[in-house]
């Protein structure tokens, strides 16, 4: 086939590139819709700028200053960050305590959540009642739960009384440098019902045909769980992992309420967490600049852990729309 070539008339002026691609004018209806759109989201925008974005920007500036909230801020550059990373041993201890708490409480909560969801997914009598009991602890405010656990973990509390029936002398949970972090982990497991409900919902959405095919192949119940159930619920497990990590690194109320005699951080800073350290520096010692720097260092740690989790998710998280 021959190529057709159309010659332009000599002297004809070419249209500038993009001419004819002008954006059409909005009709009155579209303008009205846009107006109502911005009107309805304006409360959220005002709240976002006034209570989130604005304070975040101010916090970045404050972290570069020395400020006690009574006198004008004094610019110190990166001194607050240098102090936290190289001069303050309590910061590193608080960071280690937070890592320890997150590394045990988050996987333990996921394991218990998957186990409970798998049990509640079976056809047994009264399972709706059991599901309600499992979820009820998540409805109780965290402050109330922590106050109850403060009585449970007392030296003469119910937990030590229970251990005494088996001939075990219960420790002083809240005053021991060894047992204060396990006490916080026990408290965190109490709220595993929230993850259980999400995992149970994911299990209910698994097609029954997959289990029937596994039974035909002779797969045992254990094999069915690992080959059918677990891959299908990995997206929900991943969601709970991310939310659990963020929540664990921001632990505050439990430590603050369980602190014996108001000694936040416990004996020898054994339960000192990054957020409680931040709180003390800001509202007890009025070191708002240093507290802001600690907050941004915590943000960087959480961000790095979240990015690592997302980068490794492709190796174990299964999505139905993916072809691997």
């Amino acid at each position: 086939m021959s190529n057709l070539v159309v010659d332009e008339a000599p002297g004809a002026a070419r249209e500038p590139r993009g001419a004819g691609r002008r954006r059409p004018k909005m009709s009155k209806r579209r303008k009205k819709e846009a107006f109502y759109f911005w009107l309805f989201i304006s409360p959220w925008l005002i709240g976002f700028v006034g209570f989130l974005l604005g304070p975040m920007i101010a916090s970045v500036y404050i972290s570069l200053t020395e400020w006690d909230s009574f006198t004008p801020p004094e610019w110190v550059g990166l001194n607050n960050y240098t102090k936290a990373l190289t001069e303050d041993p309590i910061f590193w201890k608080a960071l280690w305590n937070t890592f320890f708490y997150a590394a045990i409480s988050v996987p333990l909560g996921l394991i218990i959540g998957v186990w409970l969801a798998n049990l509640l997914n079976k056809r047994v009598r009264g399972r709706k009642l059991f599901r309600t009991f499992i979820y009820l602890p998540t409805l109780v405010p965290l402050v109330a739960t922590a106050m109850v656990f403060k009585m449970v973990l007392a030296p003469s509390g119910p937990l030590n009384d229970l251990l005494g029936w088996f001939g075990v002398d219960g420790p002083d949970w809240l005053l021991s440098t060894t047992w204060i972090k396990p006490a916080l982990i026990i408290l965190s497991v109490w709220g595993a019902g929230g993850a259980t409900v999400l995992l149970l919902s994911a299990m209910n959405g698994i097609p029954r045909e997959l289990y029937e095919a596994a039974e035909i192949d002779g797969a045992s119940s254990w094999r069915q769980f690992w080959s059918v159930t677990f891959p299908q619920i990995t997206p929900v497990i991943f969601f709970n992992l991310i939310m659990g990590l963020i929540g664990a690194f921001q632990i505050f109320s439990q430590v603050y309420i369980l602190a014996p005699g108001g000694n936040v951080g416990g004996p020898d800073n054994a339960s000192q967490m990054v957020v409680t350290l931040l709180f003390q520096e800001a509202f007890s010692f009025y070191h708002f600049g240093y507290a802001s720097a600690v907050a941004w260092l915590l943000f960087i740690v959480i961000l790095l852990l979240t990015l690592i989790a997302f980068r490794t998710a492709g190796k174990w998280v299964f999505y139905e729309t993916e072809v691997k």
Side-chain angles (χ1 to χ4, degrees):
M1 293 179 64
S2 60
N3 295 329
L4 297 177
V5 179
V6 179
D7 295 332
E8 294 183 356
R14 292 185 178 182
E15 283 191 9
R17 182 174 296 179
R21 297 183 183 178
R22 294 178 181 176
R23 188 176 179 180
K25 293 184 178 180
M26 294 178 63
S27 62
K28 290 184 178 180
R29 180 180 177 182
R30 295 284 294 175
K31 289 182 179 179
K32 187 176 181 181
E33 289 178 352
F35 170 76
Y36 282 115
F37 167 78
W38 290 107
L39 178 64
F40 285 128
I41 71 166
S42 59
W44 179 87
L45 285 176
I46 295 172
F48 173 75
V49 174
F51 297 103
L52 185 62
L53 183 61
M56 286 179 65
I57 296 174
S59 177
V60 173
Y61 169 73
I62 293 172
S63 70
L64 302 173
T65 66
E66 186 175 334
W67 185 48
D68 59 2
S69 78
F70 300 107
T71 57
E74 180 181 349
W75 182 267
V76 294
L78 298 176
N79 286 1
N80 288 323
Y81 295 92
T82 304
K83 176 184 175 181
L85 296 175
T86 62
E87 301 175 13
D88 189 0
I90 298 180
F91 170 77
W92 286 105
K93 189 162 189 176
L95 188 61
W96 159 249
N97 291 338
T98 310
F99 263 105
F100 181 89
Y101 172 80
I104 297 180
S105 65
V106 175
L108 186 61
L110 287 175
I111 292 171
I112 293 176
V114 172
W115 176 64
L116 290 174
N118 191 47
L119 288 178
L120 295 174
N121 194 40
K122 300 183 183 300
R123 297 184 179 276
V124 294
R125 182 177 298 177
R127 62 175 181 171
K128 292 184 178 179
L129 185 63
F130 291 137
R131 291 176 181 179
T132 304
F133 287 154
I134 291 297
Y135 188 68
L136 275 178
T138 63
L139 300 178
V140 180
L142 183 58
V143 174
T145 302
M147 293 181 68
V148 170
F149 264 81
K150 190 171 185 178
M151 293 183 289
V152 171
L153 297 171
S156 58
L159 182 56
N160 282 350
D161 290 342
L162 179 62
L163 293 175
W165 292 348
F166 298 95
V168 178
D169 293 331
D172 196 345
W173 296 90
L174 303 180
L175 292 175
S176 171
T177 57
T178 304
W179 292 101
I180 181 66
K181 286 190 284 292
L184 293 171
I185 293 170
I186 293 173
L187 176 55
S188 71
V189 172
W190 179 255
T196 302
V197 171
L198 295 177
L199 291 165
L200 182 60
S201 177
M203 290 181 182
N204 289 333
I206 300 175
R208 182 61 192 169
E209 293 80 4
L210 298 178
Y211 292 105
E212 293 174 354
E215 290 176 359
I216 293 173
D217 290 339
S220 62
S221 299
W222 183 255
R223 188 62 184 174
Q224 289 180 30
F225 173 80
W226 281 111
S227 299
V228 179
T229 305
F230 185 78
Q232 295 288 328
I233 64 174
T234 48
V236 181
I237 293 176
F238 179 66
F239 170 79
N240 284 309
L241 172 65
I242 296 298
M243 300 306 295
L245 280 174
I246 295 173
F249 273 86
Q250 293 180 337
I251 178 175
F252 171 75
S253 300
Q254 303 93 309
V255 180
Y256 190 81
I257 293 173
L258 292 180
N263 182 21
V264 179
D268 195 25
N269 292 303
S271 65
Q272 184 73 275
M273 304 293 175
V274 177
V275 178
T276 55
L277 174 64
L278 184 159
F279 176 83
Q280 286 181 314
E281 291 290 342
F283 300 104
S284 296
F285 309 133
Y286 299 101
H287 299 158
F288 286 93
Y290 183 66
S292 297
V294 171
W296 280 104
L297 289 173
L298 176 62
F299 170 78
I300 293 171
V301 170
I302 295 175
L303 179 62
L304 289 176
L305 291 175
T306 304
L307 291 176
I308 292 172
F310 272 96
R311 290 296 298 270
T312 58
K315 297 180 179 179
W316 62 278
V317 179
F318 171 79
Y319 295 97
E320 293 183 2
T321 56
E322 287 185 343
V323 178
K324 295 185 178 181

